[in-house]
Amino acid sequence: MEDGEATPTTCLFPKEQKPTRKPNLAVKQQKGRRVPNPKTTKGRQKIEIKEIQEENRRQVTFSKRRSGLFKKAAELSVLCGAQIGIITFSRCDRVYAFGNVDTLIDKYLRKAPVTLRSQYGGDDEATGGRDENGRMWWEREVESVREEEMEEYMKGLSGLRENLWTRICELGGDNDPTVQENAQAFPNLMAPVDWKMIDENLTIKNDQDEAGNGGYMDFEAIPFLSQFSKP
Amino acid sequence: MEDGEATPTTCLFPKEQKPTRKPNLAVKQQKGRRVPNPKTTKGRQKIEIKEIQEENRRQVTFSKRRSGLFKKAAELSVLCGAQIGIITFSRCDRVYAFGNVDTLIDKYLRKAPVTLRSQYGGDDEATGGRDENGRMWWEREVESVREEEMEEYMKGLSGLRENLWTRICELGGDNDPTVQENAQAFPNLMAPVDWKMIDENLTIKNDQDEAGNGGYMDFEAIPFLSQFSKP
DNA sequence: CCCTATATATAAGT
DNA sequence: ACTTATATATAGGG
């Protein structure tokens, strides 16, 4: 993708032809006789799909692959006119989101669906964490939820229910759920400029990401969204 | 990935060594002199990232790329121990989800975050639908929301709020939000067997997917979840 | 972040 | 669905 990667076949507009900063030492030295391995790197290595133990490597991979995932989502969205939202919790529960998650959650809840089957019939050999049918948590259907897990599932559902309630209360909607009224909860005097300022403040207020980037923040940080924060 | 793709380098267990059903005609015939283009296909073509107009091609692409996206998500999840949820609305609003979306939405709402910056700084040339700063809808931050769009944004927020409320009511939690009580709303007499049966019924009840697959269904279809459906 | 070499994803076509 | 040929994603290493 990029711009003009100068592929020998389908390069449409060579444009500025990236200077290729460091052309790497040499793919084949001009006179070293029979260089066993003139390659400077081993290239992409095949890895097993199982939890990466080495913390550093795991974080790098998380960062790279999260980017890749989001890029794929963006492409899919554009190519097919689909709306896509992704919520990602890193192991230490940091959140990374793609898309208008709030809006999509809204839409999702409106549809009130029960996802009994998630898409993706994984064909790879991720061995850890599978149930007796070889399924990972994300592919488990209701049919395969076992007795003990059922409780957890139900707790999850009731938890969702409770939390939605809590959230509603936080949003101040527990007294009157009328839309029009709620709309007025947002003072129209909110100019883009103000938002920008707020955003900058927030950017500073962000705590560190695992990999050192990513923006995420709490309601509390926004003066005028603080009405939505937990008491 | 797959199982034993027989890569010359890192093949660990060759296993059954896929028969390679149709080895294709020949990449280079053994005696045809100078075959100009012995290739049977043009291979993967480069495409522009813009909405695919041809309906059929768009649906095929949607299907393939959705699978790919979900697979990537699964891998990321396993590799990095992250929880990932994806909600996808196709153009005709069909929903495809990856992961325990309900649980993740719960978690997301619990955290009560405001995503002012979505991840992914797209570096590709998707030209359609960009704002004056060249951003797509999914990368718009609050600062860049213009006057008219602000209204929509607020409507979105208040809409979310209203819908959450509605949802709470539907869930029957508008009288007593106590968790323990809610938990009891789920009769424990629900055996896995019953779920399986229900699931099978539902599978039949599914309406057609755009591409002919994918499973999705309404609360109404599940006798005992019907308490959650809209009145 | 940058780079390379290689593993994967996937556009077309059957 | 399945194949092939090629575009992309990325593991490992500065």
Side-chain angles (χ1 to χ4, degrees):
Chain A
M1 191 154 296
E2 310 317 282
D3 29 295
E5 280 283 29
T7 40
T9 48
T10 8
C11 180
L12 297 181
F13 25 82
K15 240 177 183 177
E16 291 196 45
Q17 189 75 325
K18 251 175 209 168
T20 309
R21 207 93 60 144
K22 271 196 302 184
N24 204 353
L25 302 182
V27 182
K28 196 164 280 182
Q29 279 100 344
Q30 42 232 128
K31 62 175 34 156
R33 87 175 57 163
R34 191 194 64 89
V35 182
N37 196 352
K39 303 188 185 78
T40 58
T41 77
K42 288 191 299 174
R44 175 175 175 179
Q45 297 297 104
K46 181 163 192 166
I47 62 168
E48 247 191 303
I49 304 299
K50 66 175 185 184
E51 178 151 3
I52 297 173
Q53 297 301 324
E54 201 198 332
E55 169 121 352
N56 203 49
R57 206 163 70 83
R58 187 177 62 241
Q59 294 200 342
V60 170
T61 294
F62 182 67
S63 180
K64 284 184 174 181
R65 281 178 173 258
R66 178 164 43 76
S67 291
L69 188 71
F70 286 3
K71 182 172 181 183
K72 287 281 187 193
E75 292 185 352
L76 178 52
S77 176
V78 172
L79 286 171
C80 304
Q83 286 182 284
I84 304 175
I86 304 183
I87 307 176
T88 299
F89 290 91
S90 73
R91 255 220 310 213
C92 52
D93 273 0
R94 195 165 292 281
V95 186
Y96 300 88
F98 172 87
N100 266 309
V101 178
D102 290 334
T103 308
L104 284 183
I105 286 179
D106 167 39
K107 209 168 170 181
Y108 180 78
L109 292 177
R110 251 185 205 290
K111 286 231 159 190
V114 176
T115 311
L116 287 181
R117 297 177 177 286
S118 67
Q119 287 302 115
Y120 176 57
D123 57 355
D124 54 77
E125 74 295 336
T127 38
R130 288 186 178 280
D131 62 15
E132 59 274 21
N133 285 313
R135 281 177 225 157
M136 301 299 288
W137 62 267
W138 61 77
E139 7 180 30
R140 288 199 194 133
E141 308 155 26
V142 180
E143 63 164 283
S144 67
V145 178
R146 276 181 285 102
E147 206 74 72
E148 329 99 59
E149 290 179 334
M150 180 64 76
E151 189 178 15
E152 195 183 342
Y153 179 81
M154 298 195 315
K155 211 157 64 186
L157 264 189
S158 59
L160 172 57
R161 183 173 160 186
E162 181 226 7
N163 291 315
L164 287 182
W165 170 269
T166 306
R167 196 78 193 99
I168 283 292
C169 293
E170 288 169 9
L171 290 174
D174 52 336
N175 293 320
D176 190 347
T178 314
V179 206
Q180 284 72 20
E181 263 198 84
N182 289 344
Q184 293 178 1
F186 295 82
N188 210 21
L189 40 93
M190 196 55 166
V193 169
D194 294 317
W195 282 94
K196 184 174 176 55
M197 190 179 63
I198 289 165
D199 180 51
E200 280 166 356
N201 289 339
L202 284 170
T203 303
I204 293 168
K205 211 174 177 306
N206 277 344
D207 42 8
Q208 300 313 307
D209 171 40
E210 284 179 294
N213 59 10
Y216 216 79
M217 57 226 60
D218 288 334
F219 274 130
E220 279 80 1
I222 314 181
F224 117 38
L225 280 184
S226 61
Q227 53 180 309
F228 300 139
S229 67
K230 299 196 173 75
Chain B
M1 194 152 297
E2 312 315 282
D3 25 299
E5 281 282 32
T7 40
T9 48
T10 8
C11 179
L12 296 181
F13 25 81
K15 240 178 180 176
E16 292 196 45
Q17 188 74 323
K18 253 174 209 166
T20 309
R21 209 92 63 142
K22 270 196 301 183
N24 203 356
L25 303 182
V27 182
K28 196 163 280 182
Q29 281 99 342
Q30 42 233 127
K31 60 175 37 156
R33 87 176 57 163
R34 193 193 63 90
V35 183
N37 194 351
K39 302 189 184 77
T40 58
T41 79
K42 290 191 297 173
R44 175 175 174 178
Q45 298 298 104
K46 182 163 190 164
I47 62 169
E48 246 191 302
I49 303 299
K50 66 176 186 184
E51 179 153 4
I52 298 174
Q53 297 302 325
E54 201 198 333
E55 169 122 350
N56 202 49
R57 203 162 73 81
R58 187 176 62 240
Q59 294 202 340
V60 170
T61 295
F62 182 67
S63 179
K64 283 184 174 180
R65 280 178 174 260
R66 179 166 40 78
S67 291
L69 187 71
F70 287 4
K71 182 172 182 183
K72 287 281 188 194
E75 292 185 352
L76 178 53
S77 176
V78 171
L79 285 171
C80 305
Q83 287 182 286
I84 304 175
I86 305 182
I87 307 178
T88 299
F89 289 91
S90 72
R91 252 215 318 207
C92 51
D93 274 359
R94 194 166 292 282
V95 187
Y96 299 88
F98 172 87
N100 266 309
V101 177
D102 290 334
T103 307
L104 283 183
I105 286 179
D106 165 40
K107 209 168 169 181
Y108 180 77
L109 292 177
R110 246 185 209 290
K111 284 232 158 188
V114 176
T115 310
L116 287 182
R117 297 177 178 284
S118 68
Q119 286 302 114
Y120 176 57
D123 58 352
D124 53 76
E125 73 294 336
T127 37
R130 288 187 177 281
D131 62 15
E132 59 274 20
N133 284 312
R135 282 176 226 158
M136 302 299 288
W137 62 267
W138 62 77
E139 359 178 39
R140 291 205 190 126
E141 307 153 28
V142 180
E143 64 163 282
S144 67
V145 178
R146 276 181 285 103
E147 207 73 73
E148 330 101 55
E149 290 179 335
M150 180 63 77
E151 189 179 13
E152 194 183 343
Y153 180 79
M154 298 193 316
K155 212 157 64 184
L157 265 189
S158 59
L160 173 57
R161 183 172 161 187
E162 182 224 7
N163 291 315
L164 287 182
W165 169 269
T166 306
R167 197 77 195 100
I168 284 292
C169 293
E170 288 168 9
L171 291 173
D174 51 336
N175 293 318
D176 190 347
T178 315
V179 206
Q180 285 71 20
E181 264 197 83
N182 289 344
Q184 294 178 1
F186 295 83
N188 211 21
L189 41 92
M190 197 56 167
V193 168
D194 295 317
W195 283 94
K196 185 175 174 55
M197 190 179 63
I198 288 166
D199 181 50
E200 281 167 355
N201 290 338
L202 284 172
T203 302
I204 293 169
K205 212 172 176 305
N206 278 345
D207 43 7
Q208 299 313 305
D209 171 40
E210 284 179 293
N213 59 9
Y216 217 79
M217 59 225 56
D218 289 333
F219 274 129
E220 279 80 1
I222 312 180
F224 128 18
L225 279 185
S226 62
Q227 54 180 308
F228 299 139
S229 66
K230 300 195 172 75

